[in-house]
Amino acid sequence: MSEMPAAARAVRRRATTEEVHEGPARATAYVCEAASCMSAQAHDITLRLGESAARAGLSDVMVKRVGCLGLCAAGPLVEIAETGRLFDHVRPDDVEGIVGALRKVKPTDTRASQGPFFEKQVRVATENMGRVDPESLDDYVAHGGYEALRTVLSEMTSAEVRDQITQSGLRGRGGAGFPTGLKWTTVAKAQGSQKYVICNADEGDPGAFMDRSVLESDPYRVLEGMTIAAFAVHATEGYVYCRAEYPLAVARLRNAIRMAQRAGWLGTGIADTSFSFDVQVRLGAGAFVCGEETALIASVEGRRGTPRPRPPYPAMQGLWDCPTLINNVETFANVPTILRKGAEWYAGIGLGKSKGTKVFALAGRIVNTGLVEVPMGMTLREVVYDIGGGIIDGRPFKAVQTGGPSGGCIPAEHLDMPLSYESLIEVGSFMGSGGLIVMDDTSCMVDVAKYFQDFCRDESCGKCVPCRVGTTQLWMILDQITRGRATLDDLAQLERLARMIQRMSLCGLGQGAPNPIFSTLRYFRDEYLAHIVDRVCPAGVCTIEPAEVMA
Amino acid sequence: MPVLYHKPPPPSDDKRWKIVETRMRRLGDRPPALIEALHAAQEAFGYLDTDALNYVGDTLGVPHSRVYGVATFYSFFTLKPSGEHTCVVCTGTACYINGAKDILAGLDRALHVKPKETTADGKISVLTARCLGACSLAPAVIVDGDVKGKVNVGDLVAQLEAM
């Protein structure tokens, strides 16, 4: 990289701080540098574009590193900001073509339609994603960043901030959907001179990558949201608990904290007021249960991440027994926009008690895998077919799994249901953090249930018996079923045991562990019966063992 | 918490202990720094041996038993040295339904190595991850820190064999 010619460096420099304020360049190429595109050598593309533009003598174009453009399946992605033209699967040979397109951009150009994947989305938490340079504070500020915090600190009282959040109807985006305003009010009113704010970025659900993308693409937004929350609940210290498996997100977050501290957006006397707040990063270490708030607190305290019974809730007694506010990354990411655009605006989006938007990670057997943000209440069909582009190879849709290991599988008959906290629970699933994994007829639902049970048995922290022993027992029965060795009695035992574990476990991990079994039994009982009675796996996934011969 | 008047010296004069020591000092040499300290030690040495665990425990004032308890609770920490190269196979849901099982089976067939094992010649360690968050690239693996998406078993084996 140090070999880069001076001209290329100059073009690349346009991508960062100084020039952003001095009027936009004539043409800008956004290069997605989030984890998915990075692993497809997107950074190399950024450098080559800069070099190539310089060689072509284009001095008024900007090559800019941005966060996730959303359509991860087609990376590396380059977008021309002025025309909205998107280049997918960009390889080093394509660079000249992109420079050619940059050359042709005219000031009168308007953004063309980019198709339903982009047009049907409503961006709130991800509004800057694919627009701002995730490593530049100035760029964030240039896109309206810290406007909300400045207003809050100079014009509002903490009670007014809490009222705004309450009126917006924002609910916890980590999965359970607890009203955020109520949580903030509880922490604000709790007794104690020291209070903490924790951002839960321990995104453990397999198949979910919303929090990773938000942190990689727009880390300042999360910090701003946390700072506003700290003001609203009178906290002075904060932690972001992030998975160690997300090295890029951690690096960008640490950079953002450093930059914000230097610019006075974190630390003592923020924005020349008397309000002080600072944030530290704590790394997780690969324990799924640490997404549970009491386990997360134990882990931040440097202990084994085992949950404890609630109450007392962390809002009253959390980190080091002080009142602690814990919200998910996406919840905090919504906060600055809500305060900037107003609670009524936010409450106007959505359906019923589920206000606003939700970020979903589309994955599995779907054409447009990637990250999308849609208003609550959009139907599953719109998300899977219009935005997601349907199933790979045009195969039949079988189910969509939501909510991770505590969620459920939704079959084709419910494709037209709206996505909201309530409707998902009605069909036996769960919002969860927002992973949507689409399955076609090549997936065996018993095998899927077994997969999640294997996950839960492995991740059970071992503190309470129903979860530690029960999840293993459930897995063993499912294993017998997939090998064609189970009887109908075993199936009855499976259901009995599952109900018991759901009722008696200490935390959400155990309580939710039987959900994949319940939902697959509800909609795909015939598949269980096929394995047990007919001894065949309809999807052809499981290896049925030959029947034992009675001697 | 026992009050420590003297910080213990590092187990050896290896310079990497400096990194661990600094990280602990920045966090006040107190018990809450345990997980961060273990991260630092593992980053520096690749794994956590008894010396590392005891040194971290003694510095932070955490009993050895509790250090061991924490190090074994979290799956990210490893107490065994790994092979020269590591291959992490993602077994998240998206990867699972797109054939992570076949990748693990293929590695076992070709290199005779199962998850959490190292090949007999000590060259390649195979690990699994719960989810890399690279679901759009499913099935995904990480070879020596490089994420590879839409993996083909044959290509992966060929690449590992050439290492």
Side-chain angles (χ1 to χ4, degrees), chain B residues 10-109:
Chain B
S12 69
D13 49 13
D14 193 319
K15 288 221 172 70
R16 289 176 288 183
W17 291 114
K18 280 269 172 230
I19 305 171
V20 184
E21 201 217 319
T22 313
R23 180 91 74 103
M24 291 194 284
R25 199 179 52 236
R26 288 228 176 106
L27 294 168
D29 283 335
R30 294 187 51 243
L34 179 57
I35 293 174
E36 291 290 309
L38 294 178
H39 270 298
Q42 182 159 311
E43 253 166 60
F45 294 94
Y47 72 107
L48 302 167
D49 59 10
T50 314
D51 282 347
L53 295 178
N54 292 352
Y55 171 59
V56 166
D58 291 342
T59 311
L60 303 179
V62 181
H64 294 182
S65 58
R66 198 171 297 165
V67 177
Y68 186 75
V70 168
T72 50
F73 179 84
Y74 294 98
S75 59
F76 196 81
F77 297 129
T78 167
L79 305 185
K80 279 187 293 188
S82 56
E84 234 173 281
H85 303 283
T86 53
C87 171
V88 184
V89 180
C90 178
T91 57
T93 321
C95 292
Y96 183 78
I97 64 171
N98 277 311
K101 250 203 306 199
D102 303 336
I103 294 178
L104 289 174
L107 291 175
D108 192 15
R109 246 193 334 271

Side-chain angles (χ1 to χ4, degrees), chain B residues 144-161:
Chain B
D144 286 343
D146 252 357
V147 182
K148 299 190 169 298
K150 308 209 163 80
V151 173
N152 171 306
V153 190
D155 296 349
L156 178 66
V157 168
Q159 188 198 349
L160 292 176
E161 274 172 345

Side-chain angles (χ1 to χ4, degrees), chain A residues 183-202:
Chain A
K183 201 185 246 184
W184 287 24
T185 309
T186 315
V187 178
K189 293 194 175 148
Q191 296 291 319
S193 51
Q194 176 70 58
K195 292 176 186 176
Y196 296 98
V197 170
I198 297 181
C199 172
N200 185 348
D202 190 53

Side-chain angles (χ1 to χ4, degrees), chain A residues 36 39 72-73 206-207 209 212 243-244 246 280-287 289-290 299-306 320 363-365 369 437-439 443 447 451-452 455 458-459 461, chain B residues 23 27 30-36 39 43 66 68-70 72-77 91-94 96-98 101 116 129-138 146-150:
Chain A
S36 176
S39 67
C72 304
F209 50 95
R212 191 207 70 202
R243 299 180 79 192
Y246 289 171
Q280 296 183 45
V281 179
R282 283 289 176 276
L283 290 186
V289 72
C290 288
S299 188
V300 172
E301 292 175 353
R303 296 183 286 121
R304 287 167 70 103
T306 50
W320 291 299
R365 311 285 299 164
T369 48
I437 296 146
V438 178
M439 298 180 215
S443 291
D447 185 59
Y451 165 80
F452 282 115
F455 183 96
D458 203 45
E459 291 295 342
C461 77
Chain B
R23 180 91 74 103
L27 294 168
R30 294 187 51 243
L34 179 57
I35 293 174
E36 291 290 309
H39 270 298
E43 253 166 60
R66 198 171 297 165
Y68 186 75
V70 168
T72 50
F73 179 84
Y74 294 98
S75 59
F76 196 81
F77 297 129
T91 57
T93 321
Y96 183 78
I97 64 171
N98 277 311
K101 250 203 306 199
K116 293 191 188 162
R130 274 300 168 202
C131 183
L132 302 173
C135 308
S136 49
L137 301 169
D146 252 357
V147 182
K148 299 190 169 298
K150 308 209 163 80

Side-chain angles (χ1 to χ4, degrees), chain A residues 168-240:
Chain A
S168 74
L170 178 66
R171 292 167 66 180
R173 293 291 189 253
F178 190 81
T180 307
L182 186 57
K183 201 185 246 184
W184 287 24
T185 309
T186 315
V187 178
K189 293 194 175 148
Q191 296 291 319
S193 51
Q194 176 70 58
K195 292 176 186 176
Y196 296 98
V197 170
I198 297 181
C199 172
N200 185 348
D202 190 53
E203 183 176 53
D205 286 5
F209 50 95
M210 299 75 50
D211 297 350
R212 191 207 70 202
S213 280
V214 171
L215 286 174
E216 278 173 4
S217 308
D218 205 2
Y220 295 102
R221 165 179 295 269
V222 180
L223 294 178
E224 186 181 356
M226 284 180 76
T227 313
I228 293 171
F231 176 78
V233 305
H234 318 295
T236 52
E237 274 181 60
Y239 292 91
V240 180

